[in-house]
Amino acid sequence: MTTDIKTEIDFLPETDSSAALLEVRDLHVEFRTRDGVAHAVNGARFRLQSGQTLAILGESGCGKSVTAQAIMGILDTPPGFVTKGEVLYRGVDLLKLSEDERRRVRANKIAMIFQDALSALNPVFTVGFQLGEVFRKHLGMSRADAKKRAIELLDMVRIPAAAQRVNNYPHQFSGGMRQRVMIAMALALDPEVLIADEPTTALDVTVQAQIMKLLAELQAERNMGLILITHDMGVVADVADWISVMYAGRVVEEAPVHDIYARPAHPYTKALLESIPRLDLKGQQLNVIKGLPPNLTAIPSGCAFHPRCRYARDACRVDPPPPLYETGSGTTAACHFWKEVRGGE
Ligand code: SF4
Protein backbone atom coordinates (compact mmCIF):
# COMPACT_ATOMS: atom_id res chain seq x y z
CA MET A 1 0.00 0.00 0.00
CA THR A 2 2.78 2.42 0.93
CA THR A 3 4.33 1.65 -2.47
CA ASP A 4 1.30 3.24 -4.12
CA ILE A 5 1.87 6.46 -2.19
CA LYS A 6 5.46 6.62 -3.31
CA THR A 7 4.59 5.70 -6.85
CA GLU A 8 2.12 8.55 -7.34
CA ILE A 9 4.34 11.20 -5.73
CA ASP A 10 7.50 9.89 -7.37
CA PHE A 11 5.94 10.34 -10.77
CA LEU A 12 5.10 13.99 -10.24
CA PRO A 13 7.16 16.19 -12.56
CA GLU A 14 10.30 17.75 -11.11
CA THR A 15 9.58 21.33 -10.10
CA ASP A 16 11.59 24.44 -9.20
CA SER A 17 10.76 25.52 -5.64
CA SER A 18 12.14 29.03 -6.27
CA ALA A 19 9.68 29.65 -9.13
CA ALA A 20 6.21 31.19 -8.63
CA LEU A 21 3.67 28.70 -7.30
CA LEU A 22 1.47 29.25 -10.35
CA GLU A 23 1.96 31.56 -13.28
CA VAL A 24 -0.28 31.91 -16.31
CA ARG A 25 1.31 33.62 -19.32
CA ASP A 26 -0.50 34.84 -22.43
CA LEU A 27 -3.13 32.08 -22.29
CA HIS A 28 -5.47 31.77 -25.26
CA VAL A 29 -8.44 29.39 -25.38
CA GLU A 30 -10.98 29.10 -28.15
CA PHE A 31 -14.13 27.05 -28.70
CA ARG A 32 -14.68 25.87 -32.24
CA THR A 33 -18.43 25.74 -32.65
CA ARG A 34 -20.83 25.51 -35.60
CA ASP A 35 -21.59 29.21 -35.14
CA GLY A 36 -17.94 30.18 -35.39
CA VAL A 37 -14.86 30.36 -33.19
CA ALA A 38 -15.56 31.75 -29.71
CA HIS A 39 -12.41 33.45 -28.37
CA ALA A 40 -13.01 32.71 -24.70
CA VAL A 41 -9.56 33.59 -23.31
CA ASN A 42 -7.35 36.08 -25.13
CA GLY A 43 -4.01 36.47 -23.41
CA ALA A 44 -4.89 35.93 -19.75
CA ARG A 45 -2.02 36.29 -17.32
CA PHE A 46 -1.43 36.25 -13.58
CA ARG A 47 0.89 35.04 -10.86
CA LEU A 48 0.13 33.33 -7.56
CA GLN A 49 2.47 32.73 -4.63
CA SER A 50 2.05 30.37 -1.65
CA GLY A 51 -0.18 31.83 1.02
CA GLN A 52 -1.67 34.36 -1.40
CA THR A 53 -5.30 34.77 -2.45
CA LEU A 54 -5.93 35.94 -5.98
CA ALA A 55 -9.48 36.86 -6.95
CA ILE A 56 -10.37 36.66 -10.64
CA LEU A 57 -13.36 38.90 -11.22
CA GLY A 58 -15.75 39.50 -14.06
CA GLU A 59 -19.26 38.87 -15.32
CA SER A 60 -20.36 35.51 -16.73
CA GLY A 61 -18.69 34.80 -20.04
CA CYS A 62 -15.58 36.91 -19.39
CA GLY A 63 -13.32 33.85 -19.49
CA LYS A 64 -12.55 33.30 -15.80
CA SER A 65 -13.98 29.76 -15.48
CA VAL A 66 -12.49 28.71 -18.83
CA THR A 67 -9.10 29.96 -17.61
CA ALA A 68 -9.51 27.77 -14.51
CA GLN A 69 -10.48 24.75 -16.62
CA ALA A 70 -7.41 25.29 -18.81
CA ILE A 71 -5.18 25.43 -15.71
CA MET A 72 -6.74 22.21 -14.41
CA GLY A 73 -6.62 20.49 -17.81
CA ILE A 74 -10.34 19.76 -17.73
CA LEU A 75 -11.44 21.69 -20.82
CA ASP A 76 -13.89 19.83 -23.05
CA THR A 77 -11.75 19.20 -26.13
CA PRO A 78 -13.26 19.49 -28.70
CA PRO A 79 -14.77 22.08 -28.83
CA GLY A 80 -12.34 23.84 -26.42
CA PHE A 81 -8.65 24.23 -27.36
CA VAL A 82 -5.74 25.99 -25.68
CA THR A 83 -4.11 27.64 -28.69
CA LYS A 84 -1.28 29.56 -27.02
CA GLY A 85 0.36 30.33 -23.71
CA GLU A 86 1.92 28.73 -20.65
CA VAL A 87 0.54 27.50 -17.32
CA LEU A 88 3.57 27.20 -15.07
CA TYR A 89 3.31 25.31 -11.80
CA ARG A 90 6.62 25.83 -9.95
CA GLY A 91 8.26 26.45 -13.31
CA VAL A 92 6.79 23.37 -15.05
CA ASP A 93 4.54 24.12 -18.02
CA LEU A 94 1.45 22.00 -17.35
CA LEU A 95 0.35 22.39 -20.96
CA LYS A 96 3.35 20.35 -22.07
CA LEU A 97 2.72 17.40 -19.73
CA SER A 98 1.14 14.11 -20.77
CA GLU A 99 -2.47 13.53 -19.71
CA ASP A 100 -1.24 11.08 -17.07
CA GLU A 101 1.22 13.58 -15.58
CA ARG A 102 -1.47 16.27 -15.54
CA ARG A 103 -3.86 13.92 -13.75
CA ARG A 104 -1.24 13.38 -11.02
CA VAL A 105 -0.64 17.12 -10.62
CA ARG A 106 -4.42 17.64 -10.51
CA ALA A 107 -4.89 14.97 -7.87
CA ASN A 108 -2.01 16.01 -5.63
CA LYS A 109 -1.03 19.63 -6.19
CA ILE A 110 -3.82 21.71 -7.73
CA ALA A 111 -7.42 21.13 -6.67
CA MET A 112 -10.66 22.82 -7.61
CA ILE A 113 -14.09 23.29 -6.08
CA PHE A 114 -17.16 24.16 -8.07
CA GLN A 115 -20.31 26.20 -7.56
CA ASP A 116 -22.80 23.37 -7.42
CA ALA A 117 -21.81 20.92 -4.69
CA LEU A 118 -24.98 18.86 -5.06
CA SER A 119 -24.27 17.86 -8.64
CA ALA A 120 -20.56 17.32 -7.91
CA LEU A 121 -21.37 14.74 -5.20
CA ASN A 122 -22.79 11.31 -6.01
CA PRO A 123 -26.27 11.04 -4.40
CA VAL A 124 -26.11 7.26 -3.92
CA PHE A 125 -22.97 7.13 -1.76
CA THR A 126 -22.41 8.52 1.72
CA VAL A 127 -20.08 11.51 1.97
CA GLY A 128 -17.75 9.32 4.03
CA PHE A 129 -17.48 6.82 1.20
CA GLN A 130 -16.84 9.57 -1.35
CA LEU A 131 -14.20 11.28 0.79
CA GLY A 132 -12.62 7.93 1.66
CA GLU A 133 -12.40 7.02 -2.00
CA VAL A 134 -9.82 9.78 -2.52
CA PHE A 135 -7.54 8.08 0.02
CA ARG A 136 -8.26 4.55 -1.20
CA LYS A 137 -7.65 5.50 -4.82
CA HIS A 138 -4.63 7.77 -4.51
CA LEU A 139 -2.97 6.57 -1.32
CA GLY A 140 -4.06 2.92 -1.30
CA MET A 141 -5.52 3.19 2.22
CA SER A 142 -7.70 0.50 3.75
CA ARG A 143 -11.43 1.18 4.03
CA ALA A 144 -11.19 1.68 7.83
CA ASP A 145 -8.23 4.09 7.60
CA ALA A 146 -9.88 6.00 4.76
CA LYS A 147 -13.03 6.45 6.85
CA LYS A 148 -10.93 7.71 9.77
CA ARG A 149 -9.31 10.30 7.48
CA ALA A 150 -12.75 11.23 6.09
CA ILE A 151 -13.94 12.03 9.65
CA GLU A 152 -10.82 14.14 10.24
CA LEU A 153 -11.52 16.05 7.04
CA LEU A 154 -15.15 16.73 8.00
CA ASP A 155 -13.86 17.95 11.33
CA MET A 156 -11.34 20.17 9.57
CA VAL A 157 -14.10 21.92 7.59
CA ARG A 158 -16.03 22.43 10.87
CA ILE A 159 -18.89 19.99 10.26
CA PRO A 160 -20.37 19.25 13.69
CA ALA A 161 -20.60 15.60 14.84
CA ALA A 162 -18.30 14.51 12.01
CA ALA A 163 -18.15 10.89 13.21
CA GLN A 164 -21.90 10.59 12.71
CA ARG A 165 -22.30 12.82 9.65
CA VAL A 166 -19.72 10.78 7.76
CA ASN A 167 -22.46 8.14 7.27
CA ASN A 168 -24.95 10.64 5.77
CA TYR A 169 -25.82 11.06 2.10
CA PRO A 170 -25.36 14.40 0.28
CA HIS A 171 -29.09 15.24 0.35
CA GLN A 172 -29.00 15.08 4.17
CA PHE A 173 -26.69 18.13 4.25
CA SER A 174 -27.64 21.79 3.77
CA GLY A 175 -26.16 23.71 0.81
CA GLY A 176 -23.47 25.29 2.99
CA MET A 177 -22.55 21.95 4.59
CA ARG A 178 -22.32 20.29 1.17
CA GLN A 179 -19.93 23.03 0.05
CA ARG A 180 -17.86 22.25 3.16
CA VAL A 181 -17.77 18.60 2.09
CA MET A 182 -16.53 19.68 -1.36
CA ILE A 183 -13.81 21.78 0.25
CA ALA A 184 -12.80 18.79 2.37
CA MET A 185 -12.61 16.60 -0.72
CA ALA A 186 -10.50 19.15 -2.61
CA LEU A 187 -8.07 19.47 0.32
CA ALA A 188 -7.83 15.73 1.01
CA LEU A 189 -4.45 15.31 -0.67
CA ASP A 190 -3.06 18.58 0.67
CA PRO A 191 -2.79 20.56 -2.58
CA GLU A 192 -0.58 23.63 -2.89
CA VAL A 193 -3.14 25.48 -5.03
CA LEU A 194 -6.91 25.58 -4.57
CA ILE A 195 -9.11 27.06 -7.27
CA ALA A 196 -12.62 27.91 -6.06
CA ASP A 197 -15.01 28.66 -8.94
CA GLU A 198 -17.93 30.75 -7.63
CA PRO A 199 -17.91 28.67 -4.41
CA THR A 200 -20.67 30.63 -2.69
CA THR A 201 -22.98 31.72 -5.51
CA ALA A 202 -25.67 29.15 -4.72
CA LEU A 203 -25.69 29.99 -0.98
CA ASP A 204 -27.47 32.64 1.05
CA VAL A 205 -25.50 35.64 2.28
CA THR A 206 -24.82 34.43 5.84
CA VAL A 207 -23.61 31.03 4.65
CA GLN A 208 -21.53 32.74 1.93
CA ALA A 209 -19.66 34.66 4.62
CA GLN A 210 -19.08 31.47 6.66
CA ILE A 211 -17.68 29.60 3.64
CA MET A 212 -15.39 32.50 2.70
CA LYS A 213 -14.14 32.65 6.28
CA LEU A 214 -13.50 28.90 6.27
CA LEU A 215 -11.57 29.10 2.98
CA ALA A 216 -9.47 31.97 4.33
CA GLU A 217 -8.69 30.07 7.55
CA LEU A 218 -7.76 26.85 5.74
CA GLN A 219 -5.62 28.75 3.30
CA ALA A 220 -3.70 30.45 6.11
CA GLU A 221 -3.30 27.18 8.06
CA ARG A 222 -1.89 25.40 5.00
CA ASN A 223 -0.09 28.31 3.33
CA MET A 224 -1.92 27.42 0.11
CA GLY A 225 -2.29 29.59 -2.96
CA LEU A 226 -5.99 30.28 -3.39
CA ILE A 227 -7.67 31.45 -6.59
CA LEU A 228 -11.22 32.73 -6.06
CA ILE A 229 -13.26 33.07 -9.19
CA THR A 230 -16.29 35.29 -8.78
CA HIS A 231 -18.54 37.88 -10.41
CA ASP A 232 -19.20 39.48 -7.03
CA MET A 233 -16.71 42.12 -5.84
CA GLY A 234 -18.45 42.25 -2.48
CA VAL A 235 -17.52 38.63 -1.74
CA VAL A 236 -13.75 38.98 -2.02
CA ALA A 237 -13.05 42.32 -0.33
CA ASP A 238 -12.04 40.78 3.00
CA VAL A 239 -10.18 37.71 1.77
CA ALA A 240 -8.28 38.51 -1.45
CA ASP A 241 -4.75 39.94 -1.55
CA TRP A 242 -4.68 40.64 -5.24
CA ILE A 243 -7.38 41.05 -7.89
CA SER A 244 -7.33 40.39 -11.61
CA VAL A 245 -10.36 41.74 -13.46
CA MET A 246 -11.21 39.98 -16.72
CA TYR A 247 -13.32 41.19 -19.62
CA ALA A 248 -13.84 39.42 -22.96
CA GLY A 249 -11.13 36.89 -22.09
CA ARG A 250 -8.45 39.46 -21.19
CA VAL A 251 -7.13 40.73 -17.90
CA VAL A 252 -8.07 44.41 -17.96
CA GLU A 253 -6.84 45.43 -14.52
CA GLU A 254 -4.61 43.85 -11.88
CA ALA A 255 -3.76 45.32 -8.51
CA PRO A 256 -3.75 44.65 -4.76
CA VAL A 257 -7.25 44.47 -3.34
CA HIS A 258 -7.05 47.79 -1.47
CA ASP A 259 -5.89 49.68 -4.58
CA ILE A 260 -8.67 48.23 -6.69
CA TYR A 261 -11.36 49.24 -4.20
CA ALA A 262 -9.86 52.65 -3.44
CA ARG A 263 -8.62 53.73 -6.89
CA PRO A 264 -9.87 51.59 -9.78
CA ALA A 265 -8.08 52.48 -13.00
CA HIS A 266 -10.28 50.66 -15.51
CA PRO A 267 -13.87 51.77 -16.23
CA TYR A 268 -15.07 48.16 -16.09
CA THR A 269 -13.64 47.69 -12.58
CA LYS A 270 -15.16 51.00 -11.56
CA ALA A 271 -18.56 49.94 -12.91
CA LEU A 272 -18.36 46.58 -11.10
CA LEU A 273 -17.64 48.42 -7.86
CA GLU A 274 -20.53 50.81 -8.38
CA SER A 275 -22.89 47.88 -8.88
CA ILE A 276 -22.27 46.50 -5.35
CA PRO A 277 -25.38 47.16 -3.20
CA ARG A 278 -24.53 49.56 -0.32
CA LEU A 279 -26.44 50.03 2.91
CA ASP A 280 -25.58 53.75 3.06
CA LEU A 281 -27.26 54.25 -0.33
CA LYS A 282 -30.52 52.61 0.72
CA GLY A 283 -33.46 53.81 -1.36
CA GLN A 284 -31.25 54.97 -4.24
CA GLN A 285 -31.23 53.22 -7.59
CA LEU A 286 -28.45 50.63 -7.95
CA ASN A 287 -25.93 51.34 -10.71
CA VAL A 288 -25.82 48.46 -13.14
CA ILE A 289 -23.45 48.15 -16.10
CA LYS A 290 -25.43 48.91 -19.22
CA GLY A 291 -25.44 46.37 -22.05
CA LEU A 292 -24.15 42.81 -22.06
CA PRO A 293 -20.71 41.22 -22.24
CA PRO A 294 -19.71 40.74 -25.90
CA ASN A 295 -20.44 37.74 -28.07
CA LEU A 296 -17.10 35.94 -28.04
CA THR A 297 -17.41 34.99 -31.72
CA ALA A 298 -17.50 38.71 -32.60
CA ILE A 299 -15.52 40.67 -30.01
CA PRO A 300 -15.71 44.45 -30.71
CA SER A 301 -12.66 46.04 -32.33
CA GLY A 302 -10.24 48.08 -30.25
CA CYS A 303 -11.17 48.01 -26.59
CA ALA A 304 -13.78 45.26 -26.21
CA PHE A 305 -15.47 47.28 -23.46
CA HIS A 306 -16.08 50.36 -25.63
CA PRO A 307 -19.80 49.72 -26.40
CA ARG A 308 -20.52 49.83 -22.65
CA CYS A 309 -17.94 52.36 -21.50
CA ARG A 310 -18.90 55.85 -20.38
CA TYR A 311 -15.35 57.11 -21.01
CA ALA A 312 -15.14 55.73 -24.58
CA ARG A 313 -14.03 57.93 -27.48
CA ASP A 314 -12.82 57.35 -31.03
CA ALA A 315 -9.37 56.03 -30.10
CA CYS A 316 -11.04 53.23 -28.14
CA ARG A 317 -12.79 51.77 -31.19
CA VAL A 318 -9.77 51.07 -33.36
CA ASP A 319 -7.40 48.12 -33.13
CA PRO A 320 -5.15 47.14 -31.48
CA PRO A 321 -6.82 46.78 -28.07
CA PRO A 322 -5.25 48.91 -25.33
CA PRO A 323 -2.18 47.30 -23.76
CA LEU A 324 -1.87 46.82 -20.01
CA TYR A 325 -0.48 50.21 -18.95
CA GLU A 326 1.60 50.44 -15.75
CA THR A 327 -0.57 52.30 -13.24
CA GLY A 328 1.65 51.92 -10.20
CA SER A 329 4.27 49.56 -8.88
CA GLY A 330 3.22 46.22 -10.32
CA THR A 331 -0.35 47.33 -11.05
CA THR A 332 -1.74 47.62 -14.57
CA ALA A 333 -4.90 48.58 -16.45
CA ALA A 334 -5.84 48.10 -20.11
CA CYS A 335 -7.35 51.54 -20.66
CA HIS A 336 -5.94 54.45 -22.69
CA PHE A 337 -7.56 56.88 -20.28
CA TRP A 338 -6.84 55.23 -16.94
CA LYS A 339 -5.54 58.50 -15.43
CA GLU A 340 -8.86 60.21 -16.15
CA VAL A 341 -10.75 57.22 -14.75
CA ARG A 342 -8.76 57.54 -11.53
CA GLY A 343 -9.69 61.19 -11.34
CA GLY A 344 -6.97 63.04 -13.22
CA GLU A 345 -3.64 61.57 -12.06
FE1 SF4 B 1 -13.28 52.73 -21.99
FE2 SF4 B 1 -11.64 53.47 -23.94
FE3 SF4 B 1 -10.66 52.77 -21.59
FE4 SF4 B 1 -11.73 50.97 -23.18
S1 SF4 B 1 -9.87 52.15 -23.57
S2 SF4 B 1 -12.06 51.13 -21.03
S3 SF4 B 1 -13.40 52.09 -24.10
S4 SF4 B 1 -11.97 54.54 -22.02
Side-chain angles (χ1 to χ4, degrees):
M1 296 298 177
T2 332
T3 322
D4 286 343
I5 302 174
K6 281 188 178 157
T7 306
E8 183 136 293
I9 292 171
D10 280 350
F11 276 96
L12 285 171
E14 204 170 307
T15 54
D16 173 2
S17 57
S18 64
L21 175 58
L22 189 72
E23 185 170 1
V24 171
R25 290 185 189 159
D26 195 26
L27 185 70
H28 291 249
V29 181
E30 62 185 35
F31 288 87
R32 298 170 192 163
T33 72
R34 253 185 276 169
D35 297 329
V37 177
H39 298 277
V41 182
N42 304 298
R45 60 170 226 180
F46 55 80
R47 225 164 195 266
L48 177 74
Q49 301 289 3
S50 300
Q52 192 184 40
T53 297
L54 167 75
I56 303 184
L57 276 163
E59 295 160 289
S60 296
C62 70
K64 43 195 203 312
S65 294
V66 176
T67 301
Q69 288 165 15
I71 294 169
M72 292 297 288
I74 56 169
L75 263 184
D76 269 341
T77 303
F81 295 87
V82 174
T83 54
K84 198 176 162 192
E86 291 173 308
V87 175
L88 302 167
Y89 158 67
R90 295 257 181 243
V92 173
D93 188 356
L94 300 182
L95 301 179
K96 295 204 171 106
L97 298 182
S98 67
E99 187 39 51
D100 206 34
E101 287 171 316
R102 286 205 86 174
R103 187 192 56 73
R104 285 191 205 108
V105 171
R106 193 157 60 227
N108 291 279
K109 298 295 177 190
I110 306 179
M112 185 162 172
I113 52 173
F114 301 91
Q115 184 184 129
D116 185 1
L118 191 55
S119 59
L121 289 164
N122 189 327
V124 302
F125 294 112
T126 64
V127 299
F129 180 86
Q130 294 180 65
L131 282 168
E133 195 176 40
V134 179
F135 298 113
R136 292 193 299 277
K137 198 167 145 195
H138 294 282
L139 303 185
M141 276 188 186
S142 68
R143 206 167 251 254
D145 285 346
K147 186 170 179 181
K148 224 155 79 188
R149 285 290 290 123
I151 295 170
E152 286 168 13
L153 280 175
L154 292 182
D155 226 19
M156 175 192 80
V157 294
R158 328 310 186 222
I159 290 187
Q164 285 82 51
R165 298 306 306 263
V166 77
N167 298 315
N168 289 161
Y169 291 87
H171 73 270
Q172 295 174 292
F173 288 80
S174 65
M177 287 293 162
R178 275 196 295 268
Q179 197 53 286
R180 286 171 191 260
V181 172
M182 289 308 301
I183 295 170
M185 202 173 273
L187 299 187
L189 296 177
D190 213 8
E192 288 185 74
V193 180
L194 177 65
I195 302 176
D197 188 1
E198 303 275 10
T200 61
T201 301
L203 307 173
D204 69 46
V205 178
T206 323
V207 182
Q208 269 185 10
Q210 290 165 357
I211 295 291
M212 293 310 289
K213 184 166 172 272
L214 174 68
L215 278 171
E217 286 168 2
L218 292 171
Q219 185 233 15
E221 279 165 22
R222 294 160 168 251
N223 199 34
M224 276 185 313
L226 174 62
I227 297 180
L228 279 173
I229 293 176
T230 180
H231 63 279
D232 186 348
M233 285 196 96
V235 162
V236 294
D238 295 331
V239 289
D241 301 302
W242 192 268
I243 291 190
S244 282
V245 181
M246 286 187 76
Y247 189 77
R250 289 185 78 203
V251 171
V252 293
E253 182 161 9
E254 44 189 6
V257 66
H258 298 299
D259 283 17
I260 287 257
Y261 282 81
R263 301 183 322 140
H266 195 282
Y268 181 54
T269 314
K270 202 168 184 175
L272 286 174
L273 278 166
E274 287 168 358
S275 63
I276 301 174
R278 285 173 42 184
L279 281 175
D280 58 326
L281 300 180
K282 215 171 155 187
Q284 290 185 31
Q285 204 176 354
L286 191 64
N287 284 311
V288 288
I289 311 176
K290 64 170 189 179
L292 293 170
N295 173 353
L296 297 172
T297 60
I299 295 176
S301 61
C303 175
F305 189 56
H306 81 248
R308 308 172 75 188
C309 181
R310 64 177 186 256
Y311 296 87
R313 54 196 81 164
D314 289 348
C316 305
R317 297 181 182 91
V318 289
D319 280 331
L324 277 165
Y325 294 99
E326 290 272 331
T327 54
S329 61
T331 63
T332 57
C335 174
H336 299 307
F337 306 107
W338 66 269
K339 289 182 184 168
E340 184 185 325
V341 177
R342 274 227 183 125
E345 280 189 10

